[in-house]
Amino acid sequence: MTTGPVPRPRPGEVLVRVRAVSVNGGELAMRTGRLRPFSGRRFPKRVGIDLVGEVVVGTGRFAAGELVWGGTGRRMGSAAEYVAVRAEHLDHVPAGLDPVRAAALPAGTTAITALRDKATLAPGERLLVRGATGGVGYVAVQLGKAMGAHVTGLASAANLDLVTELGADEAIDYRAPGDLGRFDVILDTVGTDLPAFRRLLAPRGRMVAIAFDLERPVRSLGYLAAHAMHRTRWIRFFSGNPTAPLFAELGRWVAAGVIRPQVDRVFPLADIAAAHRALEQGGVRGKIVVELP
């Protein structure tokens, strides 16, 4: 860990004293150099994509002392005591949520974008969520049910109980899935074996991927691009960059009791390396959160 001065917010930025952040798969790949074509070759990298904290210096609708959540946009670095964040990437935390539980939820904006905006999931459709107990997947299971879908969640055998608790109609061990049938929408948070899962799509099915195969990045991204323009059984890949309206929508789902936070483990900032190792080991039940004093 390194130290430095408290950042000075620029016009349009809010200075936030960070209380908690989550650990995300994308920052693991970035930190370990597996995304050099996108990240550049200068290391070490700062980590942290999302945050929950108290406003120190506000602007516009944000006043000092308020609890906010949000993200750092297309850059990393939220795992710090103080962060200056563009106001358009922040919103107020719903009442009743403490910082640790709130930090388990910002990745849910990706689930909203995937199911509502990209796949246009409709009531009665069949939804398959790969990685159903991961940071995006556990929210997608809850959201899919709220949107009226029949939800199947793939997860490790040890986590199938959580998939059921989240409301899935079916909880299936990804190592022994058997005949899964056909799905109208597939949300892929894993990135591997995309052709096999595309074959599970119904004739008008849609797959939304938020990950690609890091062992075969060129082939994986090429496959995604080749099938993005299909009129049927298509695949869309995206990387989230949520702004205030999306965080506000997430807050409404949470306030309504539709989406609840799921915290796997909590680490202090001094042990953030251990938090990263815990996510790398897999089998996570929700979100791994790093708490700051």
Side-chain angles (χ1 to χ4, degrees):
M1 293 174 58
T2 59
T3 59
V6 174
R8 281 186 169 185
R10 298 175 181 178
E13 290 185 336
V14 176
L15 180 63
V16 178
R17 182 178 182 182
V18 180
R19 292 302 190 186
V21 300
S22 73
V23 182
N24 299 277
E27 57 187 301
L28 299 188
M30 191 79 74
R31 172 184 56 78
T32 56
R34 304 177 79 185
L35 295 177
R36 280 191 177 91
F38 310 100
S39 68
R41 298 184 176 275
R42 296 185 64 182
F43 286 87
K45 298 293 184 185
R46 299 183 68 184
V47 295
I49 298 172
D50 52 54
L51 62 99
V52 176
E54 298 165 356
V55 174
V56 178
V57 179
T59 185
R61 62 194 183 95
F62 299 108
E66 292 181 325
L67 192 63
V68 294
W69 61 6
T72 53
R74 294 294 186 188
R75 59 187 175 88
M76 295 191 185
S78 66
E81 293 176 298
Y82 293 89
V83 179
V85 184
R86 296 291 302 175
E88 62 261 31
H89 289 287
L90 293 172
D91 197 54
H92 298 95
V93 171
L97 273 185
D98 61 81
V100 167
R101 292 192 301 144
L105 288 164
T109 57
T110 300
I112 294 173
T113 301
L115 299 184
R116 183 198 64 190
D117 300 336
K118 303 294 183 180
T120 59
L121 180 68
E125 290 193 311
R126 296 194 71 218
L127 167 66
L128 175 66
V129 180
R130 292 187 71 193
T133 60
V136 174
Y138 93 86
V139 176
V141 170
Q142 298 177 80
L143 184 61
K145 285 302 300 179
M147 295 174 72
H150 179 283
V151 180
T152 299
L154 289 182
S156 65
N159 288 349
L160 296 183
D161 62 327
L162 177 57
V163 179
T164 301
E165 290 172 18
L166 293 169
D169 300 282
E170 297 178 286
I172 298 176
D173 183 353
Y174 78 92
R175 294 186 181 90
D179 184 5
L180 292 170
R182 294 291 180 268
F183 296 91
D184 301 292
V185 174
I186 297 175
L187 173 55
D188 186 278
T189 72
V190 181
T192 59
D193 303 319
L194 293 177
F197 281 91
R198 181 175 177 267
R199 287 193 287 271
L200 299 180
L201 288 174
R204 295 184 179 274
R206 297 88 71 195
M207 180 188 294
V208 180
I210 64 168
F212 58 89
D213 190 343
L214 292 172
E215 300 300 324
R216 303 172 181 83
V218 174
R219 180 186 301 178
S220 182
L221 289 171
Y223 183 84
L224 288 165
H227 292 85
M229 302 307 295
H230 285 212
R231 301 186 67 176
T232 60
R233 301 176 70 193
W234 51 252
I235 304 175
R236 300 283 192 275
F237 172 79
F238 81 99
S239 176
N241 185 22
T243 55
L246 200 50
F247 285 109
E249 181 172 354
L250 175 65
R252 289 191 291 271
W253 285 110
V254 173
V258 172
I259 294 174
R260 63 177 176 84
Q262 176 68 34
V263 178
D264 180 296
R265 279 163 285 178
V266 182
F267 294 82
L269 181 61
D271 290 339
I272 192 170
H276 277 234
R277 286 193 294 270
L279 183 57
E280 287 171 331
Q281 289 167 2
V284 175
R285 296 169 64 91
K287 267 293 187 180
I288 292 174
V289 175
V290 175
E291 185 177 20
L292 287 82

